[in-house]
Coordinates of all heavy atoms in Angstrom, one line a residue:
K1 N -8.5 -10.5 -3.6 CA -7.8 -9.4 -4.2 C -8.7 -8.2 -4.2 O -9.9 -8.3 -4.4 CB -7.5 -9.8 -5.7 CG -6.8 -8.7 -6.4 CD -6.5 -9.2 -7.8 CE -5.8 -8.0 -8.5 NZ -5.4 -8.3 -9.8
A2 N -8.1 -7.0 -3.9 CA -8.9 -5.8 -3.8 C -8.2 -4.8 -4.8 O -7.0 -4.8 -5.0 CB -8.9 -5.2 -2.4
T3 N -9.1 -3.9 -5.3 CA -8.6 -2.8 -6.1 C -9.0 -1.5 -5.4 O -10.2 -1.4 -5.1 CB -9.1 -2.9 -7.6 OG1 -8.7 -4.1 -8.2 CG2 -8.7 -1.7 -8.4
V4 N -8.1 -0.6 -5.2 CA -8.4 0.6 -4.5 C -8.1 1.8 -5.4 O -6.9 2.0 -5.8 CB -7.6 0.7 -3.2 CG1 -7.9 2.1 -2.5 CG2 -7.9 -0.4 -2.3
A5 N -9.1 2.6 -5.8 CA -8.9 3.8 -6.6 C -8.4 4.9 -5.7 O -9.1 5.3 -4.7 CB -10.2 4.2 -7.3
M6 N -7.2 5.4 -6.0 CA -6.6 6.4 -5.1 C -7.3 7.8 -5.2 O -7.2 8.5 -4.2 CB -5.1 6.5 -5.4 CG -4.3 5.3 -5.1 SD -4.4 4.8 -3.4 CE -3.5 6.1 -2.6
A7 N -7.9 8.1 -6.3 CA -8.6 9.4 -6.5 C -7.7 10.6 -6.1 O -8.2 11.6 -5.6 CB -9.9 9.4 -5.7
D8 N -6.4 10.4 -6.3 CA -5.4 11.5 -6.0 C -5.6 12.0 -4.6 O -5.5 13.2 -4.3 CB -5.6 12.6 -7.0 CG -4.3 13.4 -7.1 OD1 -3.2 12.9 -6.7 OD2 -4.3 14.6 -7.5
A9 N -5.8 11.1 -3.7 CA -5.9 11.4 -2.2 C -5.4 10.2 -1.4 O -5.3 9.1 -1.9 CB -7.4 11.7 -1.9
N10 N -5.1 10.5 -0.2 CA -4.7 9.4 0.8 C -6.0 8.5 0.9 O -7.1 9.0 0.9 CB -4.3 9.9 2.1 CG -3.0 10.7 2.0 OD1 -2.2 10.6 1.1 ND2 -2.8 11.6 3.0
Q11 N -5.7 7.2 1.1 CA -6.8 6.2 1.3 C -6.5 5.3 2.5 O -5.4 4.8 2.7 CB -6.9 5.3 0.0 CG -7.3 6.0 -1.2 CD -8.7 6.6 -1.2 OE1 -9.6 6.0 -0.8 NE2 -8.8 7.8 -1.7
T12 N -7.6 5.1 3.3 CA -7.5 4.2 4.4 C -8.3 2.9 3.9 O -9.4 3.0 3.5 CB -8.2 4.8 5.7 OG1 -7.5 5.9 6.0 CG2 -8.1 3.7 6.8
L13 N -7.6 1.8 4.0 CA -8.2 0.5 3.6 C -9.5 0.2 4.5 O -9.4 0.4 5.7 CB -7.3 -0.6 3.7 CG -6.0 -0.6 2.8 CD1 -5.2 -1.9 2.9 CD2 -6.4 -0.4 1.3
T14 N -10.5 -0.2 3.8 CA -11.7 -0.7 4.6 C -11.3 -2.1 5.1 O -10.4 -2.7 4.7 CB -12.9 -0.8 3.6 OG1 -12.6 -1.8 2.6 CG2 -13.3 0.5 3.0
Q15 N -12.1 -2.6 6.0 CA -11.9 -3.9 6.6 C -11.9 -5.0 5.5 O -10.9 -5.8 5.5 CB -12.9 -4.3 7.7 CG -12.6 -5.6 8.3 CD -13.5 -6.0 9.4 OE1 -14.4 -5.2 9.7 NE2 -13.2 -7.1 10.0
P16 N -12.8 -5.0 4.6 CA -12.8 -6.0 3.5 C -11.5 -5.9 2.7 O -10.9 -6.9 2.3 CB -14.0 -5.8 2.7 CG -15.0 -5.1 3.6 CD -14.1 -4.3 4.5
Q17 N -11.1 -4.7 2.3 CA -9.9 -4.5 1.6 C -8.7 -5.0 2.3 O -7.8 -5.6 1.8 CB -9.7 -3.0 1.2 CG -10.7 -2.5 0.2 CD -10.7 -1.0 0.1 OE1 -10.3 -0.3 1.0 NE2 -11.2 -0.5 -1.1
A18 N -8.6 -4.6 3.6 CA -7.4 -5.0 4.5 C -7.3 -6.5 4.7 O -6.3 -7.0 5.0 CB -7.5 -4.3 5.8
L19 N -8.4 -7.2 4.5 CA -8.4 -8.7 4.6 C -7.8 -9.4 3.4 O -7.5 -10.6 3.4 CB -9.8 -9.2 4.9 CG -10.3 -8.9 6.3 CD1 -11.8 -9.3 6.4 CD2 -9.5 -9.5 7.4
C20 N -7.7 -8.7 2.3 CA -7.1 -9.2 1.0 C -5.6 -9.3 1.1 O -5.0 -8.4 1.7 CB -7.6 -8.4 -0.2 SG -9.3 -8.4 -0.5
E21 N -5.0 -10.3 0.6 CA -3.6 -10.4 0.6 C -3.0 -9.6 -0.6 O -1.9 -9.2 -0.5 CB -3.2 -11.9 0.4 CG -3.5 -12.7 1.7 CD -3.0 -14.1 1.6 OE1 -2.3 -14.5 0.6 OE2 -3.3 -14.9 2.5
S22 N -3.7 -9.4 -1.7 CA -3.2 -8.7 -2.8 C -4.1 -7.5 -3.0 O -5.3 -7.6 -3.1 CB -3.3 -9.7 -4.0 OG -3.0 -9.0 -5.2
I23 N -3.4 -6.3 -3.2 CA -4.1 -5.1 -3.3 C -3.5 -4.3 -4.5 O -2.3 -4.1 -4.6 CB -4.1 -4.2 -2.1 CG1 -4.7 -5.0 -0.9 CG2 -4.7 -2.9 -2.3 CD1 -4.5 -4.3 0.4
T24 N -4.4 -3.9 -5.5 CA -4.0 -3.1 -6.6 C -4.5 -1.7 -6.4 O -5.6 -1.5 -6.1 CB -4.6 -3.7 -7.9 OG1 -4.0 -5.0 -8.1 CG2 -4.2 -2.8 -9.1
L25 N -3.5 -0.8 -6.5 CA -3.9 0.7 -6.3 C -3.9 1.3 -7.7 O -3.0 1.1 -8.5 CB -2.8 1.3 -5.4 CG -2.6 0.6 -4.1 CD1 -1.4 1.2 -3.4 CD2 -3.8 0.7 -3.2
T26 N -4.9 2.1 -8.0 CA -5.0 2.7 -9.3 C -5.2 4.2 -9.1 O -5.7 4.7 -8.1 CB -6.2 2.1 -10.1 OG1 -7.4 2.4 -9.4 CG2 -6.1 0.6 -10.2
G27 N -4.9 5.0 -10.2 CA -5.2 6.4 -10.3 C -4.0 7.2 -10.8 O -2.9 6.7 -10.8
A28 N -4.3 8.4 -11.2 CA -3.3 9.4 -11.6 C -3.0 10.3 -10.4 O -3.9 11.0 -10.0 CB -3.8 10.2 -12.8
L29 N -1.8 10.3 -9.9 CA -1.5 11.0 -8.7 C -0.7 12.3 -9.0 O 0.2 12.3 -9.9 CB -0.7 10.1 -7.7 CG -1.3 8.8 -7.4 CD1 -0.5 8.0 -6.4 CD2 -2.7 8.9 -6.9
T30 N -0.9 13.3 -8.2 CA -0.2 14.6 -8.4 C 0.8 14.8 -7.2 O 1.5 15.9 -7.2 CB -1.1 15.8 -8.5 OG1 -1.9 15.9 -7.3 CG2 -2.0 15.7 -9.7
A31 N 0.9 13.8 -6.3 CA 1.8 13.9 -5.2 C 1.9 12.5 -4.6 O 1.1 11.6 -4.9 CB 1.2 14.9 -4.1
L32 N 2.8 12.3 -3.7 CA 2.9 11.0 -3.0 C 1.7 10.9 -2.1 O 1.4 11.8 -1.4 CB 4.2 11.0 -2.1 CG 4.4 9.8 -1.3 CD1 4.6 8.5 -2.1 CD2 5.6 10.0 -0.3
R33 N 1.0 9.8 -2.2 CA -0.2 9.5 -1.5 C 0.0 8.3 -0.6 O 0.7 7.4 -0.9 CB -1.4 9.3 -2.4 CG -1.7 10.4 -3.4 CD -2.1 11.7 -2.6 NE -2.4 12.7 -3.6 CZ -2.6 14.0 -3.2 NH1 -2.6 14.3 -1.9 NH2 -2.9 14.9 -4.1
D34 N -0.7 8.4 0.6 CA -0.6 7.3 1.6 C -1.7 6.3 1.5 O -2.9 6.7 1.2 CB -0.6 7.9 3.0 CG 0.6 8.7 3.3 OD1 1.6 8.5 2.7 OD2 0.5 9.5 4.3
V35 N -1.4 5.0 1.7 CA -2.4 4.0 1.8 C -2.3 3.5 3.3 O -1.2 3.0 3.7 CB -2.2 2.8 0.9 CG1 -3.2 1.7 1.1 CG2 -2.3 3.3 -0.6
I36 N -3.3 3.7 4.1 CA -3.3 3.4 5.5 C -3.8 2.0 5.7 O -5.0 1.7 5.4 CB -4.1 4.5 6.3 CG1 -3.7 5.9 5.9 CG2 -3.9 4.2 7.8 CD1 -2.3 6.3 6.2
V37 N -3.0 1.2 6.3 CA -3.4 -0.2 6.7 C -3.6 -0.3 8.2 O -3.0 0.5 8.9 CB -2.3 -1.2 6.2 CG1 -2.1 -1.2 4.7 CG2 -1.0 -1.1 6.9
P38 N -4.4 -1.3 8.6 CA -4.6 -1.5 10.0 C -3.3 -1.9 10.8 O -2.4 -2.5 10.2 CB -5.6 -2.7 10.1 CG -6.2 -2.7 8.8 CD -5.2 -2.2 7.8
T39 N -3.2 -1.6 12.0 CA -2.0 -1.9 12.8 C -2.2 -3.4 13.3 O -2.2 -3.6 14.5 CB -1.8 -1.0 14.0 OG1 -3.1 -0.9 14.7 CG2 -1.4 0.4 13.6
V40 N -2.3 -4.3 12.4 CA -2.4 -5.7 12.7 C -1.2 -6.4 11.9 O -1.1 -6.1 10.7 CB -3.7 -6.2 12.2 CG1 -3.8 -7.7 12.3 CG2 -4.9 -5.6 12.9
Q41 N -0.5 -7.3 12.5 CA 0.6 -7.9 11.9 C 0.1 -8.8 10.8 O -0.7 -9.8 11.0 CB 1.4 -8.7 12.9 CG 2.7 -9.3 12.3 CD 3.5 -10.0 13.3 OE1 3.2 -10.0 14.5 NE2 4.6 -10.5 12.9
R42 N 0.5 -8.5 9.5 CA 0.1 -9.3 8.4 C 0.8 -8.8 7.1 O 1.2 -7.6 7.0 CB -1.4 -9.4 8.1 CG -2.0 -8.0 7.8 CD -3.3 -8.2 7.1 NE -3.0 -9.0 5.9 CZ -4.0 -9.6 5.2 NH1 -5.2 -9.5 5.6 NH2 -3.7 -10.3 4.2
P43 N 1.1 -9.7 6.1 CA 1.7 -9.3 4.9 C 0.7 -8.8 3.8 O -0.5 -9.2 3.9 CB 2.4 -10.6 4.4 CG 1.5 -11.6 4.9 CD 0.9 -11.1 6.2
Y44 N 1.1 -8.0 2.9 CA 0.3 -7.6 1.7 C 1.2 -7.6 0.5 O 2.3 -7.2 0.5 CB -0.1 -6.1 1.9 CG -1.1 -5.8 3.1 CD1 -0.5 -5.4 4.3 CD2 -2.4 -6.0 3.0 CE1 -1.4 -5.1 5.4 CE2 -3.3 -5.7 4.0 CZ -2.7 -5.3 5.2 OH -3.6 -5.0 6.3
W45 N 0.6 -8.1 -0.6 CA 1.2 -7.9 -1.9 C 0.5 -6.6 -2.5 O -0.7 -6.6 -2.6 CB 0.8 -9.1 -2.9 CG 1.7 -10.3 -2.7 CD1 1.4 -11.4 -2.1 CD2 3.1 -10.4 -3.1 NE1 2.5 -12.3 -2.1 CE2 3.5 -11.7 -2.8 CE3 3.9 -9.5 -3.8 CZ2 4.8 -12.1 -3.0 CZ3 5.2 -10.0 -4.1 CH2 5.6 -11.3 -3.7
I46 N 1.3 -5.6 -2.8 CA 0.8 -4.3 -3.3 C 1.3 -4.1 -4.7 O 2.5 -4.2 -5.0 CB 1.3 -3.2 -2.4 CG1 1.0 -3.4 -0.9 CG2 0.8 -1.8 -2.9 CD1 -0.5 -3.3 -0.6
F47 N 0.4 -3.7 -5.6 CA 0.7 -3.3 -7.0 C 0.3 -1.9 -7.1 O -0.9 -1.5 -7.0 CB -0.1 -4.2 -8.0 CG 0.1 -3.8 -9.4 CD1 1.3 -3.1 -9.8 CD2 -0.8 -4.2 -10.4 CE1 1.4 -2.8 -11.2 CE2 -0.7 -3.8 -11.7 CZ 0.5 -3.1 -12.1
A48 N 1.3 -1.0 -7.2 CA 1.1 0.4 -7.4 C 0.8 0.7 -8.8 O 1.7 1.3 -9.5 CB 2.2 1.2 -6.8
N49 N -0.3 0.4 -9.3 CA -0.7 0.6 -10.7 C -1.2 2.0 -10.9 O -2.3 2.3 -11.3 CB -1.7 -0.4 -11.2 CG -2.0 -0.4 -12.6 OD1 -1.1 0.0 -13.4 ND2 -3.1 -0.9 -13.1
V50 N -0.3 3.0 -10.5 CA -0.7 4.4 -10.6 C 0.3 5.1 -11.5 O 1.3 4.6 -11.9 CB -0.6 5.0 -9.2 CG1 -1.6 4.4 -8.2 CG2 0.8 4.9 -8.6
T51 N -0.1 6.4 -11.9 CA 0.8 7.2 -12.7 C 1.0 8.5 -12.0 O 0.4 8.9 -11.1 CB 0.1 7.4 -14.1 OG1 -1.2 8.1 -13.9 CG2 -0.1 6.1 -14.8
G52 N 2.0 9.3 -12.6 CA 2.3 10.6 -12.0 C 3.7 10.7 -11.6 O 4.2 11.9 -11.4
G53 N 4.4 9.6 -11.3 CA 5.8 9.7 -10.9 C 6.0 9.8 -9.4 O 7.2 10.1 -9.0
F54 N 5.0 9.7 -8.6 CA 5.2 9.9 -7.2 C 5.2 8.6 -6.3 O 5.7 8.5 -5.3 CB 4.1 10.8 -6.6 CG 4.2 12.2 -7.3 CD1 3.3 12.5 -8.3 CD2 5.1 13.1 -6.8 CE1 3.4 13.7 -8.9 CE2 5.1 14.4 -7.4 CZ 4.3 14.7 -8.5
G55 N 4.5 7.6 -6.8 CA 4.4 6.3 -6.1 C 3.4 6.5 -5.0 O 2.6 7.5 -4.9
V56 N 3.3 5.4 -4.2 CA 2.4 5.4 -3.0 C 3.2 4.9 -1.8 O 4.1 4.1 -1.9 CB 1.2 4.5 -3.2 CG1 0.3 5.0 -4.3 CG2 1.6 3.1 -3.6
R57 N 2.8 5.5 -0.6 CA 3.4 5.1 0.6 C 2.4 4.2 1.4 O 1.3 4.7 1.7 CB 3.8 6.3 1.4 CG 4.5 5.9 2.7 CD 5.1 7.1 3.4 NE 4.2 8.3 3.4 CZ 4.6 9.5 3.3 NH1 5.8 9.8 3.1 NH2 3.7 10.5 3.3
V58 N 2.8 3.0 1.7 CA 2.0 2.1 2.5 C 2.4 2.2 4.0 O 3.6 2.0 4.3 CB 2.1 0.7 2.0 CG1 1.1 -0.2 2.8 CG2 1.7 0.6 0.5
K59 N 1.5 2.6 4.9 CA 1.8 2.8 6.3 C 0.7 2.6 7.2 O -0.5 2.4 6.7 CB 2.4 4.2 6.4 CG 1.4 5.3 6.1 CD 1.9 6.7 6.2 CE 2.3 7.3 7.5 NZ 1.3 7.5 8.5
T60 N 0.9 2.6 8.5 CA -0.2 2.6 9.5 C -0.5 4.0 9.8 O 0.3 5.0 9.4 CB 0.2 1.8 10.7 OG1 1.4 2.5 11.3 CG2 0.5 0.4 10.5
S61 N -1.6 4.3 10.5 CA -2.0 5.7 10.7 C -1.0 6.4 11.6 O -0.8 7.6 11.4 CB -3.3 5.7 11.4 OG -3.3 5.0 12.7
A62 N -0.3 5.8 12.5 CA 0.7 6.5 13.3 C 2.1 6.0 13.1 O 3.1 6.6 13.7 CB 0.3 6.3 14.8
G63 N 2.4 5.0 12.3 CA 3.7 4.5 12.1 C 4.4 4.9 10.8 O 3.9 5.8 10.1
T64 N 5.5 4.3 10.6 CA 6.2 4.6 9.4 C 5.8 3.7 8.3 O 5.2 2.7 8.5 CB 7.8 4.5 9.6 OG1 8.1 3.2 9.9 CG2 8.2 5.5 10.7
G65 N 6.2 4.0 7.0 CA 5.8 3.1 5.9 C 6.9 3.1 4.9 O 8.0 3.5 5.1
I66 N 6.6 2.5 3.8 CA 7.5 2.3 2.6 C 6.8 2.9 1.4 O 5.6 2.8 1.3 CB 7.9 0.9 2.5 CG1 6.8 -0.1 2.2 CG2 8.7 0.4 3.7 CD1 6.5 -0.3 0.8
T67 N 7.6 3.3 0.5 CA 7.1 3.9 -0.8 C 7.3 2.8 -1.9 O 8.4 2.3 -2.0 CB 7.8 5.2 -1.1 OG1 7.5 6.1 -0.1 CG2 7.2 5.8 -2.5
I68 N 6.3 2.6 -2.7 CA 6.3 1.7 -3.9 C 6.2 2.6 -5.1 O 5.2 3.4 -5.2 CB 5.2 0.7 -3.8 CG1 5.4 -0.2 -2.5 CG2 5.3 -0.2 -5.1 CD1 4.2 -1.1 -2.3
A69 N 7.1 2.5 -6.0 CA 7.1 3.3 -7.2 C 5.9 3.0 -8.2 O 5.4 1.9 -8.1 CB 8.4 3.2 -8.0
D70 N 5.6 4.0 -9.0 CA 4.5 3.8 -10.0 C 4.8 2.5 -10.9 O 5.9 2.3 -11.3 CB 4.5 4.9 -11.0 CG 4.1 6.2 -10.4 OD1 4.0 6.3 -9.2 OD2 3.8 7.2 -11.2
G71 N 3.8 1.7 -11.1 CA 3.9 0.5 -11.9 C 4.6 -0.6 -11.3 O 4.9 -1.6 -12.0
K72 N 5.0 -0.5 -10.0 CA 5.8 -1.6 -9.4 C 5.0 -2.4 -8.4 O 4.0 -1.9 -7.9 CB 7.0 -1.0 -8.7 CG 8.0 -0.3 -9.7 CD 8.6 -1.2 -10.6 CE 9.6 -0.5 -11.5 NZ 10.3 -1.4 -12.4
R73 N 5.5 -3.5 -8.0 CA 4.9 -4.4 -7.0 C 5.9 -4.7 -5.9 O 7.1 -4.7 -6.1 CB 4.5 -5.7 -7.6 CG 3.5 -5.6 -8.8 CD 3.4 -7.0 -9.5 NE 2.7 -6.9 -10.7 CZ 1.4 -7.1 -10.9 NH1 0.7 -7.4 -10.0 NH2 0.9 -6.9 -12.1
A74 N 5.4 -4.9 -4.7 CA 6.3 -5.2 -3.6 C 5.5 -6.0 -2.5 O 4.2 -5.9 -2.4 CB 6.8 -4.0 -2.9
L75 N 6.2 -6.9 -1.8 CA 5.6 -7.6 -0.7 C 6.0 -6.8 0.5 O 7.2 -6.6 0.8 CB 6.1 -9.0 -0.7 CG 5.7 -9.9 0.5 CD1 4.1 -10.0 0.6 CD2 6.3 -11.2 0.5
V76 N 5.0 -6.4 1.3 CA 5.3 -5.6 2.5 C 4.6 -6.3 3.7 O 3.7 -7.1 3.5 CB 4.8 -4.2 2.4 CG1 5.5 -3.5 1.2 CG2 3.3 -4.1 2.2
E77 N 4.9 -5.9 4.9 CA 4.3 -6.4 6.1 C 4.1 -5.3 7.1 O 4.9 -4.5 7.3 CB 5.1 -7.5 6.7 CG 4.4 -8.1 8.0 CD 5.3 -9.1 8.7 OE1 6.5 -8.9 8.9 OE2 4.7 -10.1 9.2
C78 N 2.9 -5.4 7.7 CA 2.6 -4.5 8.9 C 3.1 -5.4 10.0 O 2.7 -6.5 10.2 CB 1.2 -4.2 9.0 SG 0.9 -3.2 10.5
D79 N 4.0 -4.8 10.8 CA 4.6 -5.5 12.0 C 3.8 -5.2 13.3 O 4.2 -5.6 14.4 CB 6.1 -5.3 12.2 CG 6.4 -3.8 12.5 OD1 5.4 -3.0 12.8 OD2 7.6 -3.4 12.5
G80 N 2.6 -4.6 13.1 CA 1.8 -4.2 14.3 C 2.0 -2.8 14.6 O 1.2 -2.2 15.4
T81 N 3.0 -2.1 14.1 CA 3.3 -0.7 14.3 C 3.6 0.0 13.1 O 3.0 1.1 12.8 CB 4.5 -0.5 15.3 OG1 4.2 -1.3 16.5 CG2 4.8 0.9 15.6
D82 N 4.6 -0.5 12.3 CA 5.0 0.1 11.0 C 4.8 -0.9 9.9 O 4.6 -2.1 10.1 CB 6.5 0.4 11.1 CG 6.8 1.4 12.3 OD1 6.1 2.4 12.4 OD2 7.8 1.1 13.0
V83 N 5.0 -0.4 8.7 CA 5.0 -1.2 7.5 C 6.5 -1.3 7.0 O 7.2 -0.3 6.9 CB 4.1 -0.7 6.4 CG1 4.2 -1.5 5.1 CG2 2.7 -0.6 6.8
V84 N 6.9 -2.6 6.8 CA 8.3 -2.8 6.4 C 8.2 -3.6 5.1 O 7.2 -4.2 4.7 CB 9.1 -3.6 7.5 CG1 9.2 -2.8 8.7 CG2 8.4 -5.0 7.8
R85 N 9.3 -3.6 4.4 CA 9.4 -4.2 3.0 C 10.1 -5.6 3.1 O 11.1 -5.7 3.8 CB 10.3 -3.3 2.2 CG 10.5 -3.7 0.8 CD 11.4 -2.7 0.0 NE 10.9 -1.4 -0.1 CZ 10.1 -1.0 -1.1 NH1 9.7 -1.9 -2.0 NH2 9.7 0.2 -1.2
F86 N 9.5 -6.5 2.4 CA 10.1 -7.8 2.3 C 10.9 -7.9 1.0 O 11.9 -8.6 0.9 CB 9.0 -9.0 2.2 CG 8.5 -9.4 3.5 CD1 7.2 -9.6 3.8 CD2 9.4 -9.7 4.6 CE1 6.7 -10.0 5.0 CE2 8.9 -10.2 5.8 CZ 7.6 -10.3 6.0
T87 N 10.4 -7.2 -0.1 CA 11.0 -7.3 -1.4 C 11.3 -5.9 -1.9 O 10.6 -4.9 -1.5 CB 10.2 -8.0 -2.4 OG1 9.0 -7.3 -2.6 CG2 9.8 -9.4 -2.0
A88 N 12.2 -5.8 -2.8 CA 12.4 -4.5 -3.5 C 11.2 -4.4 -4.5 O 10.5 -5.4 -4.8 CB 13.7 -4.6 -4.3
D89 N 11.0 -3.2 -5.1 CA 10.0 -3.0 -6.1 C 10.4 -3.9 -7.3 O 11.5 -3.9 -7.7 CB 9.9 -1.6 -6.6 CG 9.4 -0.7 -5.5 OD1 8.9 -1.1 -4.5 OD2 9.3 0.6 -5.8
V90 N 9.4 -4.6 -7.9 CA 9.6 -5.4 -9.1 C 8.6 -5.1 -10.1 O 7.5 -4.6 -9.8 CB 9.6 -6.9 -8.8 CG1 10.8 -7.3 -7.9 CG2 8.3 -7.3 -8.1

């Protein structure tokens, strides 16, 4: 499990963070912020434990992504190009 402080900025996961199956994102955001994951096929459990009403977008550096609302969790997968959603926000 990894916790990533968003610091009201886009964040690229480090290799140790990207190896975790469960990632909690924290911080007070003033805009939609991106979490950049590696372009490697794998699932992630994401908890957007952020405030501000913008949520976070999980994506690869060049691909498309999905947005998870503040305080919500979702299971997503990088398909090697884009990030797709397995579950709705819960």
Side-chain angles (χ1 to χ4, degrees):
K1 180 177 179 176
T3 299
V4 178
M6 295 299 293
D8 202 21
N10 295 339
Q11 298 291 320
T12 299
L13 295 183
T14 64
Q15 183 178 2
Q17 290 167 337
L19 291 173
C20 294
E21 290 182 7
S22 174
I23 299 171
T24 298
L25 307 169
T26 63
L29 307 181
T30 60
L32 177 66
R33 301 298 182 185
D34 292 337
V35 177
I36 310 300
V37 300
T39 52
V40 174
Q41 188 174 359
R42 66 158 302 161
Y44 296 96
W45 278 104
I46 304 289
F47 177 24
N49 191 21
V50 297
T51 60
F54 300 98
V56 293
R57 180 172 44 218
V58 182
K59 63 185 289 294
T60 60
S61 61
T64 62
I66 58 92
T67 300
I68 302 171
D70 292 12
K72 299 295 185 175
R73 300 171 194 265
L75 176 60
V76 301
E77 179 186 41
C78 177
D79 64 9
T81 303
D82 300 312
V83 174
V84 296
R85 181 183 296 275
F86 277 134
T87 66
D89 291 355
V90 294

